[in-house]
Amino acid sequence: MTIIEFIGQLSIGLVMIGATIGSAVGIGAVGQAAAGAWEKEAREGKALNFSYIILMGMPLSQTIYGFILVLVGLTPLVTGDNPVTDVHAGTLLGVGLAGGSAEFFSAWMQGLIGAAACRALSEGGGKGLVFMIIAMGIVETIGLFGFVFLLMVLP
C-alpha cells in the first residue's frame, strides 16, 4: 500500500469527524437553550416542556448519516472487492471533506434553530412546535442530500 492509498482510506474518516462534532455542537446548543427554558418554567411553577427533548435529539441524525456513508464507503475497501488505488485516493478525500462538511454544518445549524425554537416555545407558551420541527427538518435536508449524493459517487 502506498502513502496515497493510505491517505485515501484514512480520509473517508473525515465524514465521521464532521458528523460527530456537528451533532455534538448542535445538541449542545439546543441543550443549553432547553436548560434555560426549563429553569424559567420551574421558577414560574409550570410543568417542564418535554418538546425540548425532541428538538435536542434532532441534530443526532447527521452522525447516523455519516456512519452509514463511512460504512458503505469502507466496506468494499476492507473486503477487497474494490481496493483503493492511487486513482481513488483523491475521490475519497473529496468525499471525506464534502461529507464531513455537509453533516457538520447541517447539525450545527439545526442546533442553532433548535435553540431558538426552545426560546420561542418557552416565551410563546409552547405554541408552534410543528413549525419549529419543519424549520429544523429543512436544514436536515442538507445533511441528507450530502449523504445521499456522496453515496452515489463513492468509488
Side-chain angles (χ1 to χ4, degrees):
M1 174 183 293
T2 69
I3 189 71
I4 294 173
E5 292 169 345
F6 175 74
I7 290 170
Q9 290 179 352
L10 186 65
S11 63
I12 195 76
L14 294 172
V15 173
M16 282 307 297
I17 291 169
T20 54
I21 292 172
S23 289
V25 168
I27 291 167
V30 180
Q32 287 179 329
W38 283 321
E39 186 273 332
K40 178 182 176 276
E41 291 168 355
R43 191 172 5 101
E44 294 173 355
K46 295 179 181 176
L48 303 184
N49 192 338
F50 181 79
S51 299
Y52 309 144
I53 298 289
I54 296 166
L55 301 173
M56 199 181 311
M58 289 184 69
L60 184 59
S61 58
Q62 285 82 351
T63 294
I64 296 167
Y65 300 151
F67 176 71
I68 294 170
L69 184 59
V70 169
L71 189 64
V72 171
L74 285 181
T75 297
L77 306 177
V78 172
T79 62
D81 293 339
N82 186 13
V84 172
T85 66
D86 291 349
V87 175
H88 296 125
T91 303
L92 290 175
L93 178 60
V95 167
L97 290 171
S101 297
E103 302 311 330
F104 173 80
F105 285 108
S106 175
W108 180 23
M109 293 301 111
Q110 194 172 49
L112 294 180
I113 293 168
C118 286
R119 289 187 293 277
L121 290 170
S122 176
E123 296 296 322
K127 295 177 183 157
L129 176 63
V130 172
F131 294 105
M132 312 298 179
I133 291 174
I134 290 170
M136 292 177 77
I138 291 169
V139 77
E140 169 100 17
T141 306
I142 301 301
L144 188 58
F145 284 168
F147 158 65
V148 171
F149 295 163
L150 290 168
L151 275 178
M152 297 187 324
V153 299
L154 279 172

